[in-house]
Amino acid sequence: MLTRSPIPWPGLGIATATAVGMALAGVSGWLVLGTLLLWTGSLWLSRPEAPLSEPKADRAAVSRDVMRDMIEPLGIALVIFDRDRVFAANASARAALGAHIVGQDGRIALRHPDAVRLLTMGDGATVILRGLSSARSLWQLSRRHIDARYWLVELIDRTVEADIGRAHTDFVANASHELRTPLATVIGYVETLADAPDGLDKEMIARFHETVLREARRMESLVSDLMSLSQLEAEKHDVPTDPVELGSLAARVVGEFAGRDRADRLLLERPEEQISVAGDASQLEQLLRNLIDNALKYGESASPVTISLTAENEDTARLAVADQGQGIAAEHLPHLTRRFYRTDPGRSRAAGGTGLGLAIVKHIVERHRGKLDIESEPGHGASFIVRLPLLAEAAPVSA
């Protein structure tokens, strides 16, 4: 005679543990509830019919297979323990800890002292540990009870969250420092002027005023760049779609710089045919201004700056700005687009740089789904090369 198998307690335990994990990860409560109901319902409906005389050991083997299959496709890393030994780990857990952990003693599989401590803790216990999968990784491990024999460890990777938090802290500290320096200068000079006797030399007063104005403009530039970065961060997932013709855009920006008595230093090389991309015209102008301004500041004062525009192939527009300055040492190249990074802080501040220009360029390129390359070596200048996808279809374009 056939009858339904007993209630699938292990499967129900895993379903409950997974629902708890989803809730802890911030998933919507309705989605968690729906997932739990569907999972438990599928367990109930899919119970195989088996003879009452089926050996107990065979039924246990079926339950173990069910648990292993249940956790395999889940995105959260899950490890199931049979007492103190790992008997199953899903793909996410194997990717983090290695496939070799299956079958190992838990203390050997987890390795980390704080993770091993979790093996002796009770149901619902959680530990935060660093260095489980790599030196800088940060993981949250939680223990979930299934039954008297089996229990589950849920691993959530918090590395990205920690990196974002650390980057935010560093950014605020750097921005505060950059603002504090010119602000202190302004306050100092204004106080000196306020406390100065009436007979103070007019030339000195003019020099003080010039310094105050320069530092105030530096703060203005810094605030403007900070606002640009904030806007780019907010729009980074919003891909621009307006057609922009790069040739006329480059000519307009170069013309603006040439109007500042720099016409003899700027060389624009562009083809006769139009080169159009899908983009945000104002941001692409800002990108080009930053690169040209950077080249004029750090290139040799008598050497030209070349702005070249070409269609590199059927799909890619290539925009390059090259100077003939002192060049950049190789160890600095990977860090140039970091916020407030400077190869020569004193020279950068003296030239009026905020330390954010190339960070803005990088964010604009990323928003346009392009690529930024920097080529340089000491004594041979530097080239900043932007590659952007060409506009797929002909359409009215904005310069």
Side-chain angles (χ1 to χ4, degrees), residues 108-386:
I108 299 174
L110 297 180
R111 302 184 305 277
H112 196 287
D114 289 336
V116 172
R117 182 165 55 89
L118 186 67
L119 304 181
T120 62
M121 300 171 72
D123 182 42
T126 298
V127 295
I128 303 292
L129 52 93
R130 189 177 297 278
L132 180 64
S133 58
S134 64
R136 296 186 58 203
S137 65
L138 185 70
W139 290 83
Q140 175 183 317
L141 274 63
S142 301
R143 175 171 177 152
R144 309 294 178 194
H145 176 78
I146 297 177
D147 60 21
R149 177 174 176 177
Y150 297 104
W151 53 282
L152 175 145
V153 169
E154 175 190 69
L155 301 93
I156 300 177
D157 189 354
R158 303 293 190 190
T159 308
V160 173
E161 297 174 21
D163 288 344
I164 292 173
R166 184 165 50 250
H168 180 265
T169 300
D170 292 344
F171 176 69
V172 171
N174 286 327
S176 300
H177 173 74
E178 293 291 333
L179 283 169
R180 187 183 299 118
T181 302
L183 184 59
T185 302
V186 169
I187 292 173
Y189 276 89
V190 170
E191 287 178 344
T192 300
L193 288 170
D195 297 337
D198 295 337
L200 190 65
D201 181 69
K202 291 184 178 180
E203 184 178 343
M204 182 175 291
I205 292 176
R207 190 164 63 248
F208 280 15
H209 284 161
E210 182 181 350
T211 300
V212 169
L213 182 60
R214 183 181 66 248
E215 295 301 314
R217 285 176 174 165
R218 180 180 162 194
M219 285 191 289
E220 182 184 38
S221 295
L222 181 58
V223 170
S224 177
D225 283 351
L226 289 171
M227 293 177 65
S228 293
L229 273 175
S230 178
Q231 182 177 356
L232 285 166
E233 285 285 346
E235 297 176 344
K236 65 182 178 180
H237 299 300
D238 180 16
V239 181
T241 58
D242 294 336
V244 179
E245 205 285 297
L246 292 180
S248 53
L249 181 145
R252 182 169 63 251
V253 174
V254 169
E256 292 175 4
F257 279 92
R260 305 173 193 174
D261 300 325
R262 293 168 170 172
D264 57 332
R265 290 192 61 193
L266 297 176
L267 302 176
L268 175 60
E269 300 173 354
R270 52 178 287 203
E272 294 183 1
E273 66 272 12
Q274 290 191 345
I275 297 181
S276 301
V277 300
D280 182 315
S282 62
Q283 289 185 358
L284 291 175
E285 285 185 12
Q286 184 179 20
L287 175 150
L288 190 53
R289 285 195 194 97
N290 284 3
L291 291 180
I292 294 175
D293 187 56
N294 199 63
L296 289 170
K297 284 176 180 175
Y298 303 113
E300 295 295 337
S301 58
S303 64
V305 171
T306 303
I307 302 97
S308 59
L309 174 64
T310 57
E312 192 169 57
N313 52 48
E314 296 179 349
D315 305 317
T316 307
R318 181 183 186 274
L319 176 65
V321 177
D323 64 62
Q324 298 179 21
Q326 298 177 1
I328 305 166
E331 62 267 22
H332 293 299
L333 294 179
H335 310 293
L336 289 178
T337 56
R338 282 169 43 191
R339 298 171 180 180
F340 301 111
Y341 186 86
R342 296 180 173 95
T343 59
D344 186 345
R347 184 183 179 192
S348 175
R349 291 192 177 96
T354 64
L356 296 172
L358 291 179
I360 291 173
V361 167
K362 183 194 75 168
H363 280 74
I364 293 174
V365 172
E366 289 178 348
R367 187 186 174 217
H368 286 74
R369 303 305 186 258
K371 182 180 179 183
L372 173 66
D373 291 315
I374 304 173
E375 299 175 357
S376 181
E377 58 181 89
H380 294 84
S383 295
F384 294 81
I385 303 164
V386 176

Side-chain angles (χ1 to χ4, degrees), residues 70-113:
M70 284 289 186
I71 67 171
E72 180 62 23
L74 300 179
I76 298 176
L78 298 172
V79 178
I80 298 180
F81 286 78
D82 181 352
R83 297 188 173 91
D84 293 330
R85 188 168 294 275
V86 176
F87 102 82
N90 66 358
S92 298
R94 296 195 301 273
L97 304 176
H100 63 277
I101 67 170
V102 178
Q104 286 187 337
D105 184 286
R107 293 166 295 183
I108 299 174
L110 297 180
R111 302 184 305 277
H112 196 287

